[in-house]
Amino acid sequence: MSTPRPFPSAKATTSYWRSTTLPIDTHSSTKDLPAHADVVIIGAGYCGTSIAHHLLTESKRQGHSAPSIAILEARQACSGATGRNGGHLKPDPYLRAARILETHGKKVAEHVASFEARQVQDVQDLIQSSGIDCDFEETMVSDVCLDNAGSFKTGQALRKAVAAGISTAQTIERTTGLEAERSLNSEIANEHKVSGIRGAKSCHKYKAARLWPYRLVCQMLETCVSQGVNLQTMTPVTSVLPQGDGEGWRVTTSRGSMTAAKIVHATNGYSSGLLPELRDRIVPVRGICAHLQGQGPQPPISDSYMLRFNDFEYDYLVPRPDGSIVVGGARRDYFKNLESWFNVDDDSTLIEPARHYFDGYMQRNFLGWENTNTQTEQVWTGIMGYSADGFPYVGEVPAKPGSYICAGFTGHGMPQIFHSAKHIALLLLNGKVDKQHAVPVPYQTDAERWGSSQEHSSLTLWRSVTEGSQLRSKI
């Protein structure tokens, strides 16, 4: 198990996305830390960078000068979860909405689903208007269930979301039975081309996007720095304490200290390192990804993928423009070993039981790939921030005026962060957020949610899986 106060490892495994870094990777805007900033953002990943971006653009839109902004990053720019993920910008158009229908009702469920979906277009607009080179591609997702129980549950969730009028669920195409498995590369003229996944029981198809996340964030950071943001990489923050006069914060780092009028914790899985009251609310969770490269001819893939093997085991996959593949997941080989992934903040080592999970991955799962020579080129780990209830924490920290958090995205940050960051930026600038730009109700911070004592949902799932395994072994 990790220490009670998670902090980024000094050295991390190298992800495919970070194999070639950009000049801003270890940038320091000034030799020394600034003495003061109006806003200090802790974390230079997608979240922290997006907050700075929105502070600058919203200040300009509102017709006033931007606050002074400093971004402090423990390691290199975008060296955390965003620089280690699967490259998906994939909203959830129906599963989460179906669950929220039961707990919060239709209005909130629609807000959650549409909130994610809107971000694909808005991020695309930013990329195009700013000329960001990050291999952005619109894509269809083949979301495949490989067990009958999972197929039944996802079908039920889709029907529920459609019946409730959830906008994002209306255009999903569901295919079941043998048609869901049909090869993507069949030479039989009348054979449907659905998933191409061996053993598929059902397949849902819907729109999403994929990109090079490290390049997106670093080019956004370059723009922020060019507009006056002070970026300090390789500067781990060790404490954030209120100043004696009750006005603002003293931020202590490995390179000295500075003061700030307002603080933003964009620290995801490491949040409880500086906010210890979140120890059981946002937990560091280690995941694993790989880059696969073919040697010779291989069937083309256009879709991105979700492969759902059961309630706890799933993989995600994106094809790259050069024909290579990034795939993550591998829970089959490590999920039951809780200490290998839950409350683990160390991304300097691999999850050993899953080290070889990706070997032969395409050959065993994709029809038509059996005789290809696709090999594992690179494997890495990353630390995500899993919240206890599955929703991110976005808002002011209760009982700490001037302290804000945008973290706990539970492995699903790419379609939630950009607009969550705008919510924070508007709070910082205006003290409130209009209805149009507010995050969904389950994301918001309040004293009751902050102090909740419910068991972490990941632990609940782990218990059900391990207890079920023990039960089956006795039968």
Side-chain angles (χ1 to χ4, degrees), residues 142-188:
S142 284
D143 194 332
V144 179
C145 279
L146 290 106
D147 71 314
N148 288 318
S151 177
F152 176 79
K153 288 179 181 178
T154 56
Q156 191 176 47
L158 178 59
R159 288 189 292 273
K160 184 185 294 185
V162 169
I166 301 302
S167 60
T168 54
Q170 304 303 315
T171 57
I172 296 174
E173 300 176 10
R174 176 175 168 84
T175 307
T176 60
L178 289 176
E179 295 301 312
E181 186 189 67
R182 297 295 188 190
S183 172
L184 289 164
N185 306 286
S186 173
E187 296 179 357
I188 301 175

Side-chain angles (χ1 to χ4, degrees), residues 129-373:
S129 64
S130 302
I132 294 174
D133 178 14
C134 63
D135 293 348
F136 180 92
E137 296 179 291
E138 295 181 270
T139 184
M140 293 297 291
V141 174
S142 284
D143 194 332
V144 179
C145 279
L146 290 106
D147 71 314
N148 288 318
S151 177
F152 176 79
K153 288 179 181 178
T154 56
Q156 191 176 47
L158 178 59
R159 288 189 292 273
K160 184 185 294 185
V162 169
I166 301 302
S167 60
T168 54
Q170 304 303 315
T171 57
I172 296 174
E173 300 176 10
R174 176 175 168 84
T175 307
T176 60
L178 289 176
E179 295 301 312
E181 186 189 67
R182 297 295 188 190
S183 172
L184 289 164
N185 306 286
S186 173
E187 296 179 357
I188 301 175
N190 295 324
E191 187 170 32
H192 291 195
K193 298 179 180 179
V194 180
S195 76
I197 301 297
R198 182 177 290 104
K201 307 302 181 187
S202 64
C203 178
H204 291 165
K205 280 185 177 280
Y206 47 84
K207 292 182 179 179
R210 55 191 179 229
L211 45 73
W212 191 309
Y214 171 79
R215 290 186 176 176
L216 168 65
V217 172
C218 284
Q219 288 172 70
M220 289 174 66
L221 265 178
E222 289 172 353
T223 299
C224 290
V225 169
S226 73
Q227 296 178 17
V229 171
N230 190 306
L231 170 64
Q232 299 288 337
T233 62
M234 312 304 290
T235 307
V237 176
T238 56
S239 71
V240 177
L241 298 172
Q243 295 205 83
D245 57 8
E247 294 294 327
W249 302 87
R250 176 159 293 278
V251 184
T252 303
T253 80
S254 63
R255 297 174 51 218
S257 62
M258 63 179 295
T259 60
K262 297 176 180 178
I263 291 285
V264 183
H265 296 266
T267 42
N268 211 28
Y270 307 105
S271 294
S272 66
L274 298 173
L275 293 168
E277 64 268 34
L278 286 175
R279 183 180 62 182
D280 299 320
R281 304 293 90 217
I282 299 179
V283 174
V285 166
R286 184 164 60 169
I288 189 167
C289 286
H291 178 235
L292 312 182
Q293 183 72 59
Q295 307 294 324
Q298 59 191 36
I301 296 180
S302 58
D303 288 2
S304 297
Y305 280 83
M306 287 290 297
L307 272 62
R308 304 180 188 272
F309 299 93
N310 49 51
D311 281 347
F312 71 93
E313 182 190 344
Y314 53 85
D315 296 338
Y316 44 90
L317 178 150
V318 298
R320 298 283 300 128
D322 64 1
S324 66
I325 294 160
V326 173
V327 57
R331 282 186 163 194
R332 180 197 73 185
D333 289 355
Y334 71 85
F335 184 79
K336 294 178 184 178
N337 180 10
L338 188 68
E339 293 188 358
S340 69
W341 60 275
F342 186 78
N343 203 23
V344 175
D345 60 16
D346 180 11
D347 57 8
S348 68
T349 59
L350 297 179
I351 304 175
E352 284 301 323
R355 175 186 286 269
H356 298 292
Y357 173 84
F358 303 103
D359 296 347
Y361 186 88
M362 300 302 293
Q363 293 90 328
R364 69 177 180 265
N365 289 306
F366 281 73
L367 294 167
W369 287 71
E370 296 83 355
N371 298 316
T372 63
N373 189 24

Side-chain angles (χ1 to χ4, degrees), residues 447-463:
E448 181 180 0
R449 185 180 180 219
W450 199 262
S452 173
S453 60
Q454 74 175 81
E455 181 178 65
H456 198 286
S457 58
S458 293
L459 279 180
T460 302
L461 176 60
W462 174 80
R463 290 187 201 284

Side-chain angles (χ1 to χ4, degrees), residues 76-131:
Q76 304 90 344
C78 197
S79 58
T82 310
R84 302 173 174 282
N85 67 26
H88 259 155
L89 177 52
K90 187 194 81 64
D92 180 345
Y94 72 105
L95 283 172
R96 181 171 292 199
R99 292 194 297 270
I100 294 173
L101 283 169
E102 300 294 328
T103 57
H104 293 79
K106 176 182 175 180
K107 184 177 180 180
V108 175
E110 171 62 28
H111 191 187
V112 168
S114 60
F115 180 81
E116 292 190 14
R118 290 196 309 270
Q119 298 190 60
V120 176
Q121 185 62 56
D122 287 353
V123 171
Q124 182 177 12
D125 290 346
L126 171 67
I127 289 168
Q128 292 176 343
S129 64
S130 302

